Amino acid sequence: NSMDAIMEIHHKNPNLVPYECKRQYNIKKNEEKLRSLNLMNIKPVMTAPKPSQSLKRKTWTPKQRTTAPLEPARKSARIAGKPIPEYNPLDKLPSEAYFRPPRPRPTKAKLTFEE
């Protein structure tokens, strides 16, 4: 019985809390399973990483910046004297182009019973 085994672990180590007793029981149970499958003496596939040589890092050097002033990213059309653009292209379209008839509403299905 698992409870008896847990209580036995608790009597051997009275300072363990119940959680630790159950954990110790699970560890023993798993070890028994591994022994029955002859998996206890198998070496792990993964090994600890080897200590690597200290990598030499490149030191940061600032990039050379150009001293010539850059052109502004945007230019004002008002200052350049260009005409004001037309922002309402819908005035030039026929009324059917931008008014769509309303969609028909879905109707509830009517149940009919046949006898």
Side-chain angles (χ1 to χ4, degrees), residues 25-85:
Y25 169 74
N26 287 337
I27 290 172
K28 282 184 182 180
K29 206 163 80 170
N30 288 337
E31 284 177 353
E32 288 173 10
K33 284 182 187 178
L34 290 174
R35 272 194 212 101
S36 70
L37 298 171
N38 287 330
L39 297 176
M40 280 299 285
N41 298 326
I42 295 177
K43 293 181 182 179
V45 176
M46 294 179 58
T47 58
K50 296 177 183 176
S52 61
Q53 300 285 335
S54 62
L55 299 174
K56 292 183 181 180
R57 296 183 180 226
K58 293 181 180 178
T59 56
W60 180 78
T61 55
K63 293 181 179 178
Q64 295 288 353
R65 298 198 177 238
T66 58
T67 56
L70 299 175
E71 288 290 321
R74 297 176 62 175
K75 294 183 181 179
S76 169
R78 180 182 56 84
I79 294 173
K82 294 183 180 177
I84 298 172

Side-chain angles (χ1 to χ4, degrees), residues 89-90 92-100:
L90 297 179
K92 297 177 183 175
L93 294 175
S95 62
E96 298 87 29
Y98 55 93
F99 286 113
R100 169 170 36 158

Side-chain angles (χ1 to χ4, degrees), residues 15-32:
N15 58 342
L16 289 180
V17 294
Y19 167 80
E20 285 295 323
C21 293
K22 176 110 171 92
R23 183 175 171 274
Q24 290 297 321
Y25 169 74
N26 287 337
I27 290 172
K28 282 184 182 180
K29 206 163 80 170
N30 288 337
E31 284 177 353
E32 288 173 10

